[in-house]
Amino acid sequence: MATAIKETPVLKGEAARHFLKTIRANEQKKVPKADYDRAKEAYKNFKVVCSACG
């Protein structure tokens, strides 16, 4: 039998402010081209594998 998953708590107060500050700071960062290209290649390979299974 599966274990029940607990609800995710709602962030409040200082934790919520810190979370939003971190999110906003990360939205401004650019992903390095090498990382982007590596992820794109991995996705392309994943599509090929998945299409062979179905």
Side-chain angles (χ1 to χ4, degrees), residues 12-52:
K12 296 179 182 177
E14 187 59 35
R17 284 188 285 280
H18 178 68
F19 178 77
L20 290 174
K21 181 180 175 183
T22 303
I23 293 296
R24 288 185 183 121
N26 284 328
E27 286 177 336
Q28 303 302 318
K29 293 182 181 178
K30 295 282 185 180
V31 175
K33 181 158 176 40
D35 290 348
Y36 178 81
D37 291 341
R38 186 171 44 94
K40 198 170 179 180
E41 186 66 27
Y43 175 73
K44 191 167 64 173
N45 291 336
F46 178 75
K47 281 178 48 176
V48 170
V49 170
C50 287
S51 65

